[in-house]
Amino acid sequence: MPNRIPEAAIHAIIEAGRRMAERNWVPATAGNISVRLPGDRVAITRSGFHKAHLSADAVMAVDLHGAPEDPALRPSAETGLHCGIYRAFPDTRAVVHGHSIANTVLSRRAGDTIRLEGYELLKVLPGLDTHAAAVALPVLDNDQDIPRLQAAVEARWARMAAPALPAYLIRGHGIYVWGPDMDAALARLEGLEFMLACKMAAISLGGSDP
Ligand SMILES: [Zn+2]
């Protein structure tokens, strides 16, 4: 019999889904949300549920390699990417993934990074305490083969100066953001989405954004 998922983890996932849906970052059944549990377990949204109105039965448990505890349940298609983040960054306790207009449009136009510079909200990222900073958000090509995409993510992390930013974009698809708890992951997501929306607005006005 599968172990129960702690109530707090289910609540955190349901609330995160509601918050992301309010911002229009999880259209249709897009996006997925997970929480790291004790004992190398991960609670994650099941495939096919709208994130605006998740309930406890929309959340299931997998191991750190994405294998479901209950084989009758199908986890989110991108579970392997969540698990890859938890394996690479053991302090991570929450991962959120959304498909916003800004992250979709900008990642389609980008090279292999998107530069964010001079924004006050850069301070939401770990280790940054001033707007006078710049970060290069990694952009990976989209791939329906999740193990192959995860291998590309790991290859990119290996090339990045440590510590890696707790976020990456998938081209024309969406963003992954993580943190030491759900509040931190959501704050980082909101900060990054705000900066990406600003960048898109600047470009729409015919200007440039460094
Ligand atoms: Zn996705």
Side-chain angles (χ1 to χ4, degrees), residues 16-31 50-52 97-104 173-175 189-190 193 200:
R18 194 169 306 167
R19 197 160 141 188
M20 290 168 73
E22 271 172 13
R23 308 293 293 269
N24 201 25
W25 294 339
V26 279
T29 57
H50 198 291
K51 307 304 171 295
H97 166 58
H99 300 193
S100 72
I101 293 173
N103 75 40
T104 302
H173 173 166
I175 193 167
L189 174 67
E190 288 193 356
E193 288 291 354
M200 191 167 73

Side-chain angles (χ1 to χ4, degrees), residues 85-207:
I85 292 166
Y86 291 118
R87 290 195 307 271
F89 306 102
D91 293 341
T92 298
R93 289 291 174 269
V95 177
V96 290
H97 166 58
H99 300 193
S100 72
I101 293 173
N103 75 40
T104 302
V105 170
L106 290 176
S107 64
R108 283 165 62 92
R109 299 164 51 110
D112 66 0
T113 59
I114 289 179
R115 188 176 163 83
L116 299 171
E117 180 182 352
Y119 287 110
E120 176 68 12
L121 268 172
L122 283 169
K123 288 156 60 180
V124 79
L125 296 172
L128 296 182
D129 55 7
T130 170
H131 68 282
V135 300
L137 200 53
V139 180
L140 283 297
D141 288 333
N142 200 11
D143 193 337
Q144 300 303 318
D145 183 328
I146 296 300
R148 191 167 59 197
L149 179 50
Q150 176 58 26
V153 170
E154 288 174 17
R156 180 68 70 89
W157 284 334
R159 296 208 315 266
M160 287 171 70
L165 269 182
Y168 62 80
L169 288 158
I170 307 173
R171 195 182 312 284
H173 173 166
I175 193 167
Y176 272 84
V177 184
W178 55 95
D181 54 46
M182 185 62 84
D183 284 346
L186 287 170
R188 291 170 180 181
L189 174 67
E190 288 193 356
L192 286 165
E193 288 291 354
F194 178 83
M195 291 184 277
L196 291 169
C198 288
K199 196 172 185 80
M200 191 167 73
I203 293 167
S204 303
L205 289 171

